């Protein structure tokens, strides 16, 4: 079935044309052109219009533009020149459905029995990167007698936490490699072996999710770390990445996307050189880990570390050196921006993407088109991808309670 896409849907979610057989009426295109001419001061709107135009140019084969001019004749009491009413007429005349998030249009669709697609419906399937089960020791041993059977229906590189059904104690943490279930116990049969670095000392994971996150970074090319503030995203990412810097000769490149916190006041332009400006965005976090700004500058001059704005990603690539790219606060990236970053990575490099798209999105555009969510949908189940949602907050009891505000 073909569906009419209204103006707001096209601007907020251009990818809708790939998800359904869409019709774009000429009245919608004219409305977009009118908005472009008359609302030049609306920066967000102009950004959306430019994005839509580019998307339509790149995906012409997926669109059908109805060039016919229609008149609204269904009801004398409704404005015949109102674009939304014209869309209703087009749908009735041609037997089309409607894709809209406009409440009034939806009520009119019900009046004329026009099928609708609810784009506000959340079709994203959450993926924590792990499952949990309760088993008896006998059941667990029977399963491990044949680890080549995917009895837990896991995706490749998905983990499972096995707890004892009797007392809830941890029996094992397993990962499905695509071929078999393997344990995360070390050679001594223990979990959470400290990760040693000269720069930071020992990192001892605090829970099962942190154990799995470290394993994913060490063994997968791309890892998504999600979790609330204080769950250890930055700690795990930085310590594990630096372990690879020291032990395997990687270079750590941190990409930051400066976006002001939702509803906070603007500070204006940062003073100083490029390094100073970048330190204004991630400097507080890094100084708390490295000790001071001078140490960070030393590591940059040494070639072990770099900090770059995400705006530089287009001209960047990892060819020629083993690199770990760490993209911080990635909930504030659209799918196109994150795609652009991931396309810059060669086969010898790793990527850590961290963020929290459930609670820390700082602009509406990232809530509608979220790069971390899209990355999860595309990569989950791939042999090079792992994803872990960290569950626990370790800052303080106060911080834990504040999370409920």
């Amino acid at each position: 079935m073909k569906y009419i896409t209204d103006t707001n849907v096209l601007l907020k979610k251009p990818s809708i044309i790939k998800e359904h057989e869409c019709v774009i009426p000429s009245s919608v295109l004219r409305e977009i052109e009118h908005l472009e001419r008359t609302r030049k001061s609306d920066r967000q709107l102009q950004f959306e219009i430019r994005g839509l135009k580019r998307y339509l140019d790149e995906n012409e084969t997926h669109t059908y533009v109805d060039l016919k001019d229609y008149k609204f004749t269904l009801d004398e009491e409704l404005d015949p020149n109102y674009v939304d009413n014209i869309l209703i007429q087009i749908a009735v005349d041609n037997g089309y459905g409607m894709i809209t998030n406009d409440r009034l249009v939806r009520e009119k669709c019900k009046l004329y029995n026009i099928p609708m697609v609810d784009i506000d419906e959340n079709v994203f399937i959450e993926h924590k990167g792990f499952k949990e089960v309760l088993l008896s020791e006998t059941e667990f041993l029977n399963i491990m007698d044949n680890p080549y059977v995917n009895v837990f229906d896991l995706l490749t590189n998905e983990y499972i936490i096995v707890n004892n059904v009797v007392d809830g104690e941890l029996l094992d943490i397993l990962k499905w490699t695509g071929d078999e279930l393997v344990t995360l116990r070390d050679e001594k049969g223990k979990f959470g072996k400290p990760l040693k670095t000269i720069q930071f000392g020992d990192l001892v994971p605090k829970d099962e999710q942190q154990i799995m996150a470290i394993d994913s970074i060490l063994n997968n090319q791309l890892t998504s770390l999600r979790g609330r503030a204080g769950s250890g995203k930055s700690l795990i990412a930085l310590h594990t990445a630096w372990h690879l810097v020291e032990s395997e000769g990687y270079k750590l490149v941190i990409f930051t996307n400066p976006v002001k916190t939702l509803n906070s006041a603007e500070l204006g332009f940062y003073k100083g050189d490029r390094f100073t400006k970048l330190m204004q965005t991630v400097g507080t976090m890094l100084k708390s880990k490295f000790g001071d700004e001078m140490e960070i500058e030393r590591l940059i001059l040494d070639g072990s570390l770099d900090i770059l704005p995400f705006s530089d990603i287009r001209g960047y690539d990892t060819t020629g050196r083993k690199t770990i790219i760490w993209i911080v606060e990635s909930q504030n990236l659209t799918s196109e921006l994150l795609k652009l970053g991931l396309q810059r990575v060669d086969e010898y490099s790793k990527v850590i993407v961290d963020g929290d798209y459930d609670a820390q999105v700082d602009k509406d555009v990232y809530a509608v088109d979220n790069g971390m969510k899209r990355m999860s949908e595309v990569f989950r189940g791939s042999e090079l991808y792992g994803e872990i949602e960290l569950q626990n907050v370790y800052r303080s009891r106060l911080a834990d309670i504040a999370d409920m505000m």
Side-chain angles (χ1 to χ4, degrees):
M1 183 175 193
K2 292 180 179 179
Y3 290 89
I4 295 172
T5 52
D6 73 6
T7 301
N8 191 56
V9 167
L10 277 177
L11 291 174
K12 297 296 183 184
K13 190 179 181 182
S15 62
I16 197 73
I17 66 172
K18 285 189 176 181
E19 298 172 16
H20 301 276
E21 188 176 4
C22 291
V23 174
I24 304 176
S26 58
S27 53
V28 168
L29 294 178
R30 279 197 294 269
E31 184 176 41
I32 291 171
E33 291 172 356
H34 177 74
L35 291 171
E36 185 177 21
R37 290 195 307 270
T38 60
R39 293 177 57 182
K40 293 185 179 297
S41 62
D42 189 332
R43 295 175 62 187
Q44 180 63 33
L45 176 63
Q46 295 298 324
F47 172 80
E48 291 172 354
I49 291 173
R50 289 194 301 273
L52 172 62
K53 285 184 170 182
R54 183 169 59 252
Y55 195 88
L56 292 178
D57 288 342
E58 294 171 352
N59 297 276
E60 288 182 317
T61 57
H62 295 278
T63 61
Y64 169 71
V65 178
D66 189 343
L67 298 176
K68 182 179 176 181
D69 290 325
Y70 291 82
K71 292 183 179 180
F72 181 76
T73 60
L74 293 173
D75 192 327
E76 294 179 352
E77 296 182 359
L78 297 179
D79 184 351
N81 298 312
Y82 187 40
V83 172
D84 289 346
N85 291 338
I86 295 173
L87 299 185
I88 296 295
Q89 184 76 51
I90 298 171
V92 171
D93 287 356
N94 297 280
Y96 296 155
M98 182 76 73
I99 304 177
T100 181
N101 54 12
D102 185 293
R103 186 174 297 276
L104 180 57
V105 175
R106 295 180 67 81
E107 290 302 317
K108 292 177 182 177
C109 286
K110 293 176 185 177
L111 182 64
Y112 292 101
N113 297 314
I114 299 170
M116 290 177 285
V117 172
D118 185 3
I119 66 165
D120 285 335
E121 180 183 356
N122 184 8
V123 296
F124 175 73
I125 300 174
E126 194 76 39
H127 180 59
K128 297 192 297 183
F130 66 91
K131 296 179 180 179
E132 296 183 77
V133 294
L134 291 169
L135 296 175
S136 69
E137 290 192 45
T138 301
E139 290 172 323
F140 174 66
L141 290 173
N142 288 338
I143 287 171
M144 294 311 295
D145 280 341
N146 190 1
Y148 303 102
V149 178
N150 188 5
V151 294
F152 301 113
D153 193 28
L154 301 173
L155 298 174
T156 298
N157 292 330
E158 188 175 14
Y159 300 86
I160 188 155
I161 301 170
V162 183
N163 293 314
N164 195 317
V165 70
V166 177
D167 55 15
E169 290 296 312
L170 180 66
L171 290 176
D172 213 334
I173 305 173
L174 305 171
K175 176 173 66 176
W176 176 251
T177 66
D179 298 311
E180 63 178 319
L181 288 167
V182 297
T183 181
L184 266 59
R185 293 183 185 274
D186 63 20
E187 61 276 5
K188 296 182 179 180
K190 297 185 178 298
F191 293 113
K193 180 179 179 180
L195 197 66
K196 298 181 181 294
T197 60
I198 298 171
Q199 185 74 37
F200 303 116
D202 290 355
L203 170 65
V204 180
K206 296 179 181 293
D207 56 33
E208 294 91 338
Q209 287 77 31
Q210 291 193 1
I211 292 171
M212 294 183 287
I214 292 171
D215 178 80
S216 180
I217 295 171
L218 293 177
N219 293 291
N220 295 320
Q221 188 177 13
L222 171 61
T223 294
S224 174
L225 289 187
R226 299 189 290 108
R228 296 169 291 167
S231 60
K233 298 187 298 293
S234 298
L235 182 73
I236 296 295
L238 182 57
H239 279 243
T240 311
W242 206 258
H243 170 78
L244 292 170
V245 170
E246 291 184 356
S247 63
E248 299 186 24
Y250 280 86
K251 177 179 181 176
L252 174 59
V253 179
I254 302 172
F255 277 98
T256 176
N257 183 37
V259 176
K260 81 180 186 73
T261 302
L262 182 64
N263 297 328
S264 65
E266 295 275 12
L267 290 176
F269 292 108
Y270 294 131
K271 295 181 180 180
D273 58 17
R274 178 187 178 90
F275 175 75
T276 302
K277 292 177 181 179
L278 288 170
M279 289 301 290
Q280 294 281 358
T281 61
V282 293
T284 301
M285 181 271 290
L286 290 179
K287 282 185 282 189
S288 70
K289 303 294 191 296
F290 283 102
D292 58 41
E293 197 168 298
M294 290 181 63
E295 177 64 6
I296 297 171
E297 288 191 86
R298 183 188 72 80
L299 293 169
I300 291 174
L301 292 172
D302 182 52
S304 300
L305 174 69
D306 209 348
I307 306 169
L308 299 172
F310 202 85
S311 57
D312 282 6
I313 196 75
R314 188 179 294 276
Y316 185 85
D317 70 74
T318 62
T319 305
R321 178 168 183 177
K322 291 166 64 176
T323 306
I324 303 174
I325 291 180
W326 176 18
I327 306 175
V328 300
E329 301 291 344
S330 298
Q331 74 274 358
N332 291 324
L333 291 172
T334 64
S335 55
E336 282 297 317
L337 283 174
L338 191 50
K339 172 184 174 181
L340 184 66
L342 296 178
Q343 287 177 326
R344 297 298 186 269
V345 180
D346 69 14
E347 59 183 314
Y348 303 107
S349 297
K350 289 178 177 285
V351 183
I352 304 170
V353 176
D354 84 26
D356 178 14
Y357 55 65
D358 287 328
Q360 297 184 50
V361 174
D362 292 321
K363 280 190 176 182
D364 290 342
V365 63
Y366 307 127
V368 174
D369 178 15
N370 189 274
M372 288 191 77
K373 286 185 175 182
R374 185 59 182 153
M375 179 182 69
S376 176
E377 289 176 322
V378 171
F379 280 95
R380 66 178 67 164
S382 166
E383 74 282 355
L384 53 77
Y385 177 75
E387 178 173 348
I388 294 295
E389 181 184 72
L390 301 173
Q391 301 292 299
N392 302 306
V393 173
Y394 291 102
R395 283 181 176 169
S396 66
R397 177 65 178 150
L398 186 150
D400 202 21
I401 295 173
D403 188 60
M404 297 184 287
M405 292 177 63

